[in-house]
Amino acid sequence: MRTTKNTYQQFITIEPLLHVFIWSMVFLYPYIKYAGREGGYMMSFLHEINALVFKMTISYLLYFWYFPIKNKLKNAPILLFFLVSNIMLYEFFDNFFHPQHTDFWVHFFTNLLTYISFGVVFYAIYSVKNNYKKQVTFEVLSKEKQQAELMALKAQINPHFLFNTLNTIYANALRKDDNTPELLLKLSDSFRYVLHKSQHDLVTLREEIQHIRDYIHLQEERLSNKVVVQFSSDLDQEEIEIAPLLLIGFIENAFKYASVLKGSNHIIKIHIELNTNNLLFTCENPYAKIANNIDETWKKSGVGIESTQKRLQLLYPEKHELQIQTENNQYKVLLKIEL
């Protein structure tokens, strides 16, 4: 939840003042109405207190008991009993101030209409308060749902990345490549990043790009002359924060599909640019429809475009623009994020 007060909390804060204002106006209305007239308001202060107590009793019975209950129709007879009893008791005590009063039924229905009017007023207050409360509840549940989905998506990342990088080291170990120690160091750094940084909500763009560089280096060693990577970055600030492992899925995808193509020196272009909190990421790789026939298990490994799209929707709603184009045997990703 936001640290600032939400609308419901603001309403709860001012609600007591609203109640005080309503009953103050009810109590003072007769005196204000007859102010300036000869003799003023003729009824005593105690008479108004008596009337106020009965009006408040039925109003708060509705507000705290009847309006919140679910089965209102079932409890309507009980409400009617309290309503009639309240009017009868009010008439009894009011007779002490009007001993000559004889129009019982006229006063009965007048009081009934008065109570209905107060019921409408307090139902309006209750409805506004309840709507604000539902809004807060919805926001809390929505945020909890998003957190659960994000944790599930992050959980998918670790085993997939482990699978890909171990294949890279295994291939180099079989060749007894002299670069294997350096690759192991890169792998160690990558694991450390995935295992620790993925648990954070945000990381610096500098850290994310370093992780991408390590991954690219591992893939370049594994694929040897199969691919040529053109990676560039242009950042006006490196310490700005971004969700971890947000870009790697597109890069994994580029290597995955370029690696199954025939021939060598397939060019993968990756560019990351940051200008005044606006991130531009582009990734372009050769693509052929034959790649759709590759093994489904291998095809679905890695972070995955679908998972990345879900994370973007959850983490940067209405703050990102993603375009994926497949034309002229080229697969191009264009991602813009407002950080």
Side-chain angles (χ1 to χ4, degrees):
M1 295 299 295
R2 297 182 298 271
T3 55
T4 56
K5 283 189 176 181
N6 55 45
T7 309
Y8 176 69
Q9 291 172 326
Q10 291 174 347
F11 185 86
I12 292 296
T13 301
I14 67 171
E15 186 185 12
L17 298 177
L18 178 61
H19 288 247
V20 170
F21 173 77
I22 291 173
W23 294 120
S24 297
M25 293 304 298
V26 171
F27 180 77
L28 295 174
Y29 173 74
Y31 298 98
I32 297 173
K33 180 180 179 180
Y34 287 93
R37 298 188 185 182
E38 186 178 354
Y41 186 53
M42 302 300 295
M43 302 308 298
S44 67
F45 178 81
L46 192 59
H47 173 270
E48 295 307 308
I49 291 293
N50 177 67
L52 188 67
V53 168
F54 282 96
K55 290 172 184 175
M56 293 178 68
T57 300
I58 198 66
S59 296
Y60 287 118
L61 178 70
L62 291 168
Y63 187 72
F64 290 113
W65 172 67
Y66 190 69
F67 293 153
I69 60 176
K70 294 182 179 180
N71 197 339
K72 292 181 174 57
L73 186 61
K74 181 180 178 181
N75 290 278
I78 300 175
L79 175 64
L80 183 61
F81 170 77
F82 281 113
L83 183 61
V84 173
S85 299
N86 184 283
I87 296 175
M88 297 291 288
L89 284 171
Y90 172 68
E91 287 296 318
F92 173 76
F93 286 104
D94 193 57
N95 280 333
F96 289 103
F97 303 97
H98 304 280
Q100 74 284 1
H101 166 62
T102 56
D103 298 328
F104 173 81
W105 290 109
V106 173
H107 280 260
F108 180 90
F109 285 108
T110 300
N111 289 326
L112 180 61
L113 289 173
T114 300
Y115 290 163
I116 291 174
S117 300
F118 278 102
V120 171
V121 171
F122 277 87
Y123 182 74
I125 297 173
Y126 172 80
S127 297
V128 171
K129 178 181 177 180
N130 196 44
N131 285 336
Y132 287 149
K133 185 177 182 180
K134 286 181 179 178
Q135 182 181 357
V136 171
T137 302
F138 175 79
E139 289 176 356
V140 170
L141 292 176
S142 178
K143 185 170 183 179
E144 289 176 351
K145 179 176 178 291
Q146 289 184 4
Q147 291 292 343
E149 290 178 351
L150 285 174
M151 291 303 295
L153 290 171
K154 284 182 177 181
Q156 295 177 19
I157 292 172
N158 295 350
H160 293 153
F161 185 81
L162 174 63
F163 174 81
N164 288 334
T165 50
L166 281 178
N167 276 345
T168 300
I169 300 298
Y170 178 70
N172 281 272
L174 288 178
R175 296 198 304 265
K176 298 182 180 179
D177 195 315
D178 292 338
N179 291 328
T180 300
E182 181 184 354
L183 294 179
L184 286 172
L185 181 61
K186 295 288 185 184
L187 176 62
S188 175
D189 291 338
S190 294
F191 279 176
R192 186 180 299 108
Y193 187 86
V194 171
L195 293 173
H196 295 290
K197 296 297 183 180
S198 68
Q199 304 305 314
H200 297 180
D201 292 331
L202 296 170
V203 297
T204 64
L205 189 57
R206 173 181 52 78
E207 293 173 311
E208 183 73 2
I209 289 179
Q210 183 57 51
H211 172 65
I212 290 172
R213 290 183 185 276
D214 289 344
Y215 178 82
I216 290 173
H217 182 71
L218 289 169
Q219 291 292 2
E220 283 179 321
E221 288 294 325
R222 181 175 72 88
L223 297 173
S224 187
N225 296 326
K226 189 77 173 181
V227 298
V228 175
V229 182
Q230 298 177 359
F231 177 81
S232 61
S233 62
D234 182 11
L235 312 178
D236 61 0
Q237 52 177 321
E238 293 185 332
E239 298 306 310
I240 192 169
E241 294 183 314
I242 187 174
L245 303 170
L246 196 61
L247 307 177
I248 195 69
F250 300 114
I251 298 172
E252 280 187 342
N253 189 71
F255 279 104
K256 185 183 300 181
Y257 284 93
S259 66
V260 298
L261 298 176
K262 295 180 180 180
S264 59
N265 296 327
H266 297 293
I267 298 175
I268 298 176
K269 298 179 181 179
I270 303 169
H271 178 68
I272 301 174
E273 182 178 331
L274 180 68
N275 185 11
T276 318
N277 296 351
N278 292 309
L279 177 72
L280 174 62
F281 168 81
T282 58
C283 183
E284 185 175 355
N285 61 274
Y287 173 84
K289 290 184 178 180
I290 191 174
N292 290 326
N293 298 322
I294 61 179
D295 178 72
E296 285 297 316
T297 302
W298 181 86
K299 186 177 178 180
K300 293 180 180 179
S301 66
V303 176
I305 301 298
E306 184 178 351
S307 294
T308 303
Q309 288 175 319
K310 288 181 180 179
R311 293 187 70 205
L312 283 168
Q313 292 168 2
L314 291 171
L315 293 167
Y316 299 99
E318 300 181 1
K319 288 188 175 183
H320 78 278
E321 180 182 344
L322 175 63
Q323 297 179 14
I324 299 178
Q325 303 170 351
T326 306
E327 56 184 18
N328 299 325
N329 294 324
Q330 290 289 314
Y331 189 95
K332 185 174 182 179
V333 175
L334 175 62
L335 174 62
K336 298 178 182 179
I337 308 177
E338 181 184 343
L339 298 178

